[in-house]
Amino acid sequence: MNSGARKICFVTGSRADFGLLVWPMRAIRETPGLALQLVATGMHFAPEFGYTFNAIRDEGFEVDERVETLLSSDTGAGVAKSVGLGVIGFADTFTRLQPDLVVVLGDRFEMFAAAQAAMFMRLPMAHLFGGDVTEGAVDESIRHAISKMSHLHFTSNQGSTQRLMQLGEHPSRIHTIGSVGIDAIKHLDLMNRDDIGGAIGMPLGERNALVTFHPVTVEAGRSVAELDELFAALSTLDPAFRFVFTLANADAEGRALNARIEAFAAGRPNTIAVASLGQLRYLSLMSQVDLVIGNSSSGVLEAPSFGVPTVDIGDRQKGRERAASVFHAAPKRGAIAAAIAAGLERGRQATVNPYGDGESSRRFAEIVAGIPDFRQLLVKGFYELPPGGAQA
């Protein structure tokens, strides 16, 4: 690390956010005057979630610090305790690393812990994907809270930029760069159908679907019932259909969902459940399937860039801007089956993705490098909207 370079410290807590951060981190690493730091936490160290710490090394990154936070608990109390452990761990970590800028992405509880520690330690912080809306998850509150703790914002779309201004963030600190997840689609050399089948342990068939279902964290007890409705809808499809499930995150009720997914896949030759596909396999599979099904943000943000139809179930992604290829379904078997039929009828076709063009990481690094003094960002006022509403 160049001792004279400014240290940009990224936090990653799961396979999902790491896949999104790969290209921004590479852009920072390649920018003169900036030095990359990386802190890993959360699900990266849990074997039940694929021990994705290895994926970080496989992508050519070195981890500067590890913050162990994840408890073997599936309850809200367990998640709350994990946040507490994270705040303590990140306080020690940031003391050792002394970053010039902390970068957090999204809305998971691991990021919430890192943001709290950075805020109290008076560390400048940049937030990716603030201003988004996901009304069906507690992530909504976490995301907005992180935005208020942050000093610099990088949004995926103009609607999110305007919502941050409604929260009192000044337009000069908000940069609409698009979704960094699309950058990987543009730059990766994706696998072909045969290689994907070998990599996941099941050849692709005539019809295929990529399925991801995460907990609906805003209301306890809903997740398992909604997953069972999805299973009922999938069971009505042609037996030639093949399903690749990626397991749920370590949110409250996540382990209960994973147990049901693994039970559903057991004994079904047309179904497989994988703890973590990694970015290359996940995007390669997305490029080949007939449908993306579930409630993951990737079906809304990334899938449209492939033109593949998405069946988005329930309220977890409610409020996000959507491409024409995204079909919403209430979490009932009949509604899910109808959305699947509509998606198959539409088929794969070119779609305008409202989340960017694959150049988000370059824009991010250029903006960060162009800020002369991060510490000047620490003093924040509340931006009052002008008469008539938000104006960038």
Side-chain angles (χ1 to χ4, degrees):
M1 182 182 295
N2 184 344
S3 59
R6 294 187 293 171
K7 295 174 287 187
I8 313 300
C9 181
F10 286 75
V11 178
T12 176
S14 71
R15 71 191 186 215
D17 66 57
F18 176 71
L20 296 172
L21 289 172
V22 164
W23 294 97
M25 289 193 297
R26 286 179 175 165
I28 290 294
R29 190 167 59 184
E30 294 166 4
T31 300
L34 302 179
L36 175 68
Q37 292 179 329
L38 180 57
V39 180
T41 186
M43 290 189 291
H44 282 305
F45 306 111
E48 65 183 300
F49 297 107
Y51 195 72
T52 49
F53 178 71
N54 289 330
I56 298 174
R57 291 173 170 168
D58 292 344
E59 289 288 349
F61 294 99
E62 292 297 326
V63 173
D64 294 279
E65 291 276 346
R66 298 168 53 137
V67 178
E68 298 275 7
T69 66
L70 195 61
L71 300 178
S72 182
S73 171
D74 206 20
T75 67
V79 173
K81 291 177 182 179
S82 291
V83 171
L85 289 173
V87 174
I88 295 169
F90 280 109
D92 291 338
T93 289
F94 292 151
T95 297
R96 286 189 291 269
L97 293 181
Q98 293 293 302
D100 295 292
L101 181 72
V102 175
V103 181
V104 293
L105 181 147
D107 46 35
R108 285 192 53 78
F109 62 83
E110 301 94 343
M111 299 298 154
F112 190 42
Q116 290 180 70
M119 178 186 66
F120 287 118
M121 295 175 71
R122 302 293 291 159
L123 294 173
M125 183 161 50
H127 186 204
L128 289 158
F129 290 2
D132 286 359
V133 178
T134 52
E135 297 177 15
V138 70
D139 303 358
E140 171 92 349
S141 298
I142 292 175
R143 186 186 316 107
H144 294 332
I146 293 174
S147 290
K148 292 307 298 180
M149 294 185 233
S150 300
H151 310 95
L152 193 60
H153 307 278
F154 297 90
T155 67
S156 62
N157 62 89
Q158 189 59 40
S160 293
T161 293
Q162 296 202 348
R163 280 186 285 272
L164 284 177
M165 285 188 277
Q166 287 179 267
L167 289 173
E169 299 302 295
H170 197 279
S172 66
R173 294 172 180 246
I174 309 171
H175 304 275
T176 309
I177 63 170
S179 172
V180 295
I182 300 174
D183 295 25
I185 296 172
K186 181 173 181 177
H187 297 294
L188 281 177
D189 184 14
L190 300 178
M191 304 164 68
N192 62 38
R193 287 175 63 90
D194 291 339
D195 289 342
I196 294 168
I200 65 175
M202 181 179 72
L204 298 185
E206 182 179 346
R207 291 282 202 180
N208 306 277
L210 173 59
V211 189
T212 306
F213 195 87
H214 293 301
V216 184
T217 52
V218 76
E219 183 180 334
R222 282 178 49 185
S223 301
V224 169
E226 292 187 6
L227 179 63
D228 286 344
E229 292 294 308
L230 170 59
F231 289 154
L234 297 182
S235 297
T236 65
L237 295 178
D238 189 320
F241 233 109
R242 299 193 179 184
F243 305 108
V244 180
F245 278 83
T246 60
L247 296 184
N249 285 334
D251 295 311
E253 300 182 352
R255 290 176 176 83
L257 293 187
N258 288 340
R260 280 180 118 73
I261 291 169
E262 289 171 337
F264 180 81
R268 286 181 168 84
N270 67 332
T271 304
I272 190 170
V274 183
S276 175
L277 287 168
Q279 185 183 51
L280 177 60
R281 290 192 299 170
Y282 187 82
L283 292 177
S284 297
L285 185 58
M286 185 180 281
S287 74
Q288 297 291 337
V289 296
D290 298 278
L291 289 170
V292 174
I293 304 173
N295 61 8
S296 170
S297 62
S298 62
V300 179
L301 272 65
E302 283 90 56
S305 291
F306 292 112
V308 59
T310 294
V311 174
D312 176 55
I313 300 169
D315 294 336
R316 196 171 193 273
Q317 303 303 326
K318 184 178 179 181
R320 285 195 191 272
E321 189 173 354
R322 296 162 187 267
S325 58
V326 180
F327 296 83
H328 180 261
K332 298 294 182 181
R333 63 192 70 187
I336 297 169
I340 288 173
L344 290 174
E345 182 178 357
R346 174 186 171 88
R348 184 185 295 273
Q349 58 180 277
T351 305
V352 176
N353 192 332
Y355 291 98
D357 58 3
E359 294 294 330
S360 302
S361 299
R362 175 186 58 79
R363 297 186 188 104
F364 169 79
E366 289 175 352
I367 292 165
V368 169
I371 297 173
D373 183 1
F374 297 130
R375 298 203 67 80
Q376 288 185 352
L377 299 172
L378 287 172
V379 179
K380 283 176 52 173
F382 189 94
Y383 176 71
E384 298 284 356
L385 290 178
Q391 295 178 7

